[in-house]
Amino acid sequence: MQRRVHPTPEELGLASCHVCGLISKRLESDVGLLCPRCLSRLHRRKPYSIESCWALTIAALILYIPANLLPIMETGSLLSYRRDTIMSGIVHLWHTGAWGIAAIVFIASIVVPLFKLLALALLLVSVQRQSTWWPMQRMRLYRLVELVGRWSMLDIYVVTFLAALVQISSLATVRVGNGAIAFGAVVVLTMFAAMKFDPRLIWDPLRNENLP
Amino acid sequence: MPDPQPEQMVACRQCGLLQQEIALQPQGGAVCCCCGASLYRNTPDSMSRTLALTIAAIICFSLANIYPILGIELQGNYNATNLFGAVRSLWQQGMHPVSALVFATTILTPALEMAILLYLLIPLILMQRPPRVVGIMRLMETIKPWGMIEVFMLGILVSLVKLKSDVTIIPGVALWSFAALTLMLSAVAASFNPRDIWLHLDRIKNNRED
Ligand SMILES: [Zn+2]
Ligand SMILES: [Zn+2]
């Protein structure tokens, strides 16, 4: 199916504002292009989109390792002591019979971050190679990355909440482990990475291909 | 045929295609003919509706932060916490980055978002231009992805399941307030329409000039 990818504002000598959405004639000033309605600086594409997105994705990938290896929660009582990583916490939850919740935590804490990292890498590589391959599917992938990213915070909230609540003298205490710092950083970095990616770059190679 | 004026065109934020704006029925929406992203919606009463929902959300937010969310009881010992108590306890355990992240995503961002909406909507409905409106609109766009009340709500439910076999749970007022706040904030997000604000600002400006 042939999609309509022309024209873009730039092809007609116009510019679109990323803040207020106004389309205006390109009026150069000494500080660059400015939007006549809101005076924001106008960019054709998000500046340094690919470079910053790669940097944030790689940083998140590196932190993904300690996030999964370090304990995220330490549970102590008179009789027992447990240190849980994200995965061992899920396995423990599964063995106590809370299968539904175990599945939710598994998806939010393991599947979603890994999916985000792989999807961002795929999008970046395809955009850098000027790929015209399946633009709509890549677009849907990007929307999914934006939609699901926040749900990875789930485990951070659970350990925070439990660590505050379960402080009953020596009978039961919960502490947050260092894994939570790494894991929180992964979530924040992948969210920034997704914001930095400019989905219009997916469509630009199609425009160069069938220029009139 | 002459080209339409630039002001009557709209560029898709997701794929960059330039398209001509068409008039819409009330509550109608226009989608991009290339990638299917939403381009703009026509929501004639969005400002007053958003204001009403924001006030309701502020009430839920206050209750959710005043009262305890959950209490637990184990062999005659009782402990309860609210959201800020949880953030403070994490800070005292030395987990400063995590504590700050939880504070920013569950208290600061939602509070800031609601304050901004009040600051923008009340003067706009009275046909006034709020001071520094552009910076505030930009701030609103920047902080929007960082409000995560709905994820926190799911976190409370997961904690409930984890605790229920070991201790007696006493649900607090804030538990229900958080549930209501989650609904209110998603309703606010659905009814808030930044394009309406920009068009309204243009109208205020034109009224002044006439
Ligand atoms: Zn603008
Ligand atoms: Zn589009």
Side-chain angles (χ1 to χ4, degrees):
Chain A
M1 191 183 94
Q2 191 67 46
R3 286 181 187 277
R4 223 187 95 198
V5 291
H6 293 290
T8 61
E10 297 76 26
E11 287 166 358
L12 299 183
L14 302 171
S16 72
C17 173
H18 67 108
V19 175
C20 73
L22 183 76
I23 306 291
S24 57
K25 296 215 171 66
R26 299 176 69 95
L27 292 172
E28 299 282 350
S29 75
D30 44 350
V31 282
L33 280 176
L34 293 181
C35 170
R37 176 154 68 187
C38 72
L39 299 179
S40 300
R41 203 185 285 264
L42 300 174
H43 305 287
R44 189 177 162 273
R45 297 290 175 259
K46 290 181 192 169
Y48 304 108
S49 166
I50 294 176
E51 295 86 339
S52 16
C53 187
W54 262 127
L56 291 160
T57 307
I58 291 168
L61 189 64
I62 293 168
L63 283 168
Y64 187 71
I65 300 163
N68 279 282
L69 293 181
L70 292 176
I72 188 166
M73 188 164 88
E74 297 169 27
T75 324
S77 70
L78 280 179
L79 302 172
S80 68
Y81 175 77
R82 287 183 59 89
R83 280 179 110 169
D84 276 310
T85 60
I86 292 173
M87 196 63 212
S88 77
I90 295 167
V91 171
H92 182 66
L93 210 51
W94 183 270
H95 283 311
T96 58
W99 299 313
I101 294 292
I104 290 174
V105 179
F106 178 72
I107 292 171
S109 309
I110 306 274
V111 178
V112 168
L114 206 56
F115 161 77
K116 278 187 80 174
L117 290 170
L118 293 175
L120 283 169
L122 176 80
L123 288 169
L124 285 165
V125 170
S126 75
V127 163
Q128 279 184 315
R129 299 186 60 189
Q130 303 273 313
S131 169
T132 54
W133 169 74
W134 279 7
M136 197 58 220
Q137 278 71 8
R138 282 185 288 143
M139 190 79 188
R140 293 206 181 104
L141 187 66
Y142 173 70
R143 284 179 197 153
L144 197 59
V145 166
E146 281 219 303
L147 191 73
V148 300
R150 52 205 289 106
W151 291 93
S152 306
M153 283 290 282
L154 182 64
D155 234 18
I156 299 275
Y157 293 142
V158 173
V159 294
T160 303
F161 195 57
L162 290 180
L165 195 56
V166 187
Q167 297 294 345
I168 302 188
S169 58
S170 56
L171 286 172
T173 53
V174 169
R175 286 185 63 86
V176 178
N178 284 323
I181 297 178
F183 190 76
V186 172
V187 179
V188 171
L189 288 171
T190 49
M191 279 183 68
F192 273 122
M195 286 171 203
K196 265 289 165 188
F197 184 80
D198 193 332
R200 290 170 295 187
L201 296 171
I202 295 174
W203 300 90
D204 284 341
L206 279 88
R207 300 191 176 109
N208 301 335
E209 194 178 54
N210 54 7
L211 266 180
Chain B
M1 192 184 99
D3 276 336
Q5 287 299 299
E7 302 81 55
Q8 292 160 347
M9 289 192 276
V10 55
C12 175
R13 278 162 190 263
Q14 299 210 356
C15 72
L17 180 68
L18 189 67
Q19 288 150 87
Q20 197 178 331
E21 265 192 45
I22 47 164
L24 293 176
Q25 299 280 319
Q27 308 310 329
V31 294
C32 173
C33 69
C34 168
C35 74
S38 166
L39 289 177
Y40 56 95
R41 291 174 297 155
N42 179 14
T43 47
D45 52 354
S46 90
M47 280 192 290
S48 42
R49 193 204 313 243
T50 310
L51 183 62
L53 289 165
T54 304
I55 292 167
I58 290 171
I59 295 169
C60 297
F61 183 80
S62 316
L63 292 175
N65 278 290
I66 292 168
Y67 292 101
I69 303 169
L70 284 184
I72 55 169
E73 202 198 306
L74 182 64
Q75 300 177 10
N77 296 289
Y78 174 81
N79 192 24
T81 189
N82 65 3
L83 179 51
F84 190 72
V87 169
R88 197 175 48 200
S89 149
L90 204 60
W91 186 270
Q92 282 158 356
Q93 290 184 24
M95 284 284 149
H96 300 171
V98 183
S99 171
L101 181 61
V102 173
F103 177 73
T105 52
T106 57
I107 299 178
L108 185 64
T109 305
L112 203 55
E113 222 175 317
M114 290 182 291
I116 289 177
L117 283 170
L118 283 188
Y119 177 86
L120 288 175
L121 292 172
I122 294 173
L124 282 171
I125 289 171
L126 300 170
M127 295 302 279
Q128 303 277 324
R129 186 184 167 96
R132 310 188 68 85
V133 65
V134 174
I136 298 282
M137 287 295 283
R138 221 177 290 168
L139 181 66
M140 183 79 180
E141 285 292 308
T142 315
I143 64 170
K144 213 186 237 171
W146 300 100
M148 304 189 187
I149 289 287
E150 75 279 26
V151 185
F152 180 73
M153 186 67 216
L154 186 62
I156 299 177
L157 297 180
V158 172
S159 311
L160 264 175
V161 174
K162 284 200 173 191
L163 286 169
K164 75 170 193 305
S165 55
D166 302 321
V167 295
T168 314
I169 294 169
I170 303 119
V173 173
L175 183 64
W176 315 115
S177 318
F178 265 111
L181 178 62
T182 308
L183 291 177
M184 285 305 150
L185 285 181
S186 58
V188 167
S191 84
F192 180 66
N193 186 352
R195 182 173 171 270
D196 265 6
I197 297 208
W198 293 113
L199 292 178
H200 198 72
L201 284 170
D202 287 349
R203 240 173 314 189
I204 292 172
K205 195 176 164 205
N206 292 339
N207 278 356
R208 290 257 167 83
E209 279 166 10
D210 286 347

